Amino acid sequence: MFKDCITQANAQPGLNDDPATSAEVREILTLAKQDFNDISPEQEKLIENVGKLFKDFNGTLKINGSKKVVQVFNKMRNRKYDMSIPNKEFRVVGFPDVGKGFEMKARVIAKDSEELAFEATTMYDAMATYLDKLAQMHRYARSVLGKEAESIILMDIEKLVALDPDKELKYRFISDGDPAEDSSKFYLRSVVDAKRYKLYDNGLVLYLGLMAVNNYALAGNVNFHVVDFQLTDSKMELYLLENNSKTLKGGVKVETGILISNSEIADGSVRFDLLYKISDGDKTVRLTGDKVLSFAHSWNSKVIKEKLDGLSKLNDFVEDIYSAVEKVKFSEKVGTELLFKIFDKLSHAKSLPMDLKTKIENEQDTANNTETLLSVLSRIEEISSKYGEDTNLFIQAKLHELLVKNR
């Protein structure tokens, strides 16, 4: 699972679990509207346009397990508040130490008054994003806060806000309960560009992903199944594999599919990456391959539909993977030189936690050239899976780069 979020859920449906109906998938768009406390006309229009991108049909998707995915998504209801706020109505009042570092606390002032609307504390990277959008001052602020000089930062922010009090940013808030209850807390999860950002939140991306993969399955006369679905209040990852697998030389079986990911907390993009699983009947490893397509949160629905049509080239990626996996020879004994490359690449990766790198280095001491490559990779995956989904995906991508792309 992901770490550091308010709410999270997951599902690992079975190969033969029920697919969702067309009506159930379309209901996602209705629920996406309900996530927002006060949906804007622009966002309502965006959801309407997204719903028109795919032809309606009766029956079920060619994606087993998609019914459970829709059910999990429907149960996670968070109250989201997206507000364009001028600098003068967003007042930074402190930087509390929350135990794992500093966060930022702010007061949102009601429009055209001095009355407090609500208070919010940052989470994810919202503090860094706000300070950098204000004046590229996040690193400086961290340094000053470490010296217990909060008042200096607050004065600097006040002066910068006064230079452009009417400039607006879009603030993405979320509450951990019913806003009407006094116990409910508000969090600022992201700060984005007020004019460019379109709200392709998890609901819209889940709808787009399921419908696009279903279209691909219909065109190619293939079937998919969900192997994993990870969902938080702000992130989503959907892992899909084709039902059919291919057995290569050496008895290695390869299953291929797609990983659909989205984050609501940055000016980022939606990604469709190649996903594949390699097994020999005993050991298994799942790797994340090249990007098949992506689209930015700032793009309109027409351009996004054109991008999604690019999913038709997935089969080209699959054929490349079959060829590459045969060359790597996952079922054979791993050589000393390759062992060194694998552990060296991971132990020097700056993005990995230190204790995980220590465990990986310890694993290098026990690995030897009497084992198959698949056995070594399977153990690494088992270790990394305990460190959250982001870390696991990072390692999967690094191993793909090294072994398949030879980078």
Side-chain angles (χ1 to χ4, degrees), residues 126-139:
M127 172 181 160
T129 305
Y130 172 80
L131 292 173
D132 282 343
K133 285 184 179 294
L134 192 63
Q136 290 296 318
M137 63 183 297
H138 173 238
R139 290 184 65 183

Side-chain angles (χ1 to χ4, degrees), residues 166-325:
D166 295 317
K167 179 182 178 181
E168 290 189 356
L169 292 172
K170 181 168 286 186
Y171 296 85
R172 311 209 70 196
F173 298 99
I174 192 168
S175 66
D176 63 357
D178 187 339
E181 297 179 2
D182 293 336
S183 60
S184 182
K185 295 180 180 178
F186 287 83
Y187 298 90
L188 174 60
R189 60 193 183 123
S190 183
V191 184
V192 297
D193 189 289
K195 295 181 179 178
R196 292 181 64 252
Y197 192 86
K198 293 179 174 63
L199 304 179
Y200 287 99
D201 280 359
N202 289 337
L204 272 69
V205 174
L206 180 58
Y207 170 81
L208 289 168
L210 289 174
M211 294 297 280
V213 172
N214 187 65
N215 275 7
Y216 172 85
L218 288 168
N221 194 29
V222 295
N223 292 278
F224 285 81
H225 63 280
V226 179
V227 292
D228 199 1
F229 180 53
Q230 302 285 341
L231 180 68
T232 76
D233 48 78
S234 297
K235 288 186 177 183
M236 182 199 82
E237 281 168 358
L238 177 64
Y239 299 77
L240 304 167
L241 288 174
E242 280 193 42
N243 289 1
N244 295 328
S245 61
K246 184 171 183 177
T247 301
L248 306 178
K249 293 178 182 177
V252 170
K253 185 173 73 172
V254 181
E255 299 172 70
T256 58
I258 202 85
L259 163 61
I260 303 169
S261 58
N262 183 53
S263 173
E264 301 180 357
I265 55 178
D267 291 319
S269 63
V270 179
R271 290 181 61 100
F272 285 59
D273 293 299
L274 177 69
L275 175 71
Y276 59 106
K277 188 170 77 170
I278 305 169
S279 61
D280 62 1
D282 180 32
K283 301 295 183 181
T284 299
V285 67
R286 190 170 71 187
L287 299 178
T288 307
D290 295 344
K291 179 179 70 177
V292 179
L293 65 90
S294 66
F295 57 85
H297 285 152
S298 58
W299 293 358
N300 64 45
S301 55
K302 182 179 178 181
V303 176
I304 285 172
K305 180 58 168 65
E306 293 172 358
K307 279 288 183 179
L308 289 173
D309 289 341
L311 192 59
S312 60
K313 63 185 178 182
L314 174 61
N315 196 55
D316 296 334
F317 286 85
V318 169
E319 290 301 322
D320 288 344
I321 283 297
Y322 290 153
S323 175
V325 169

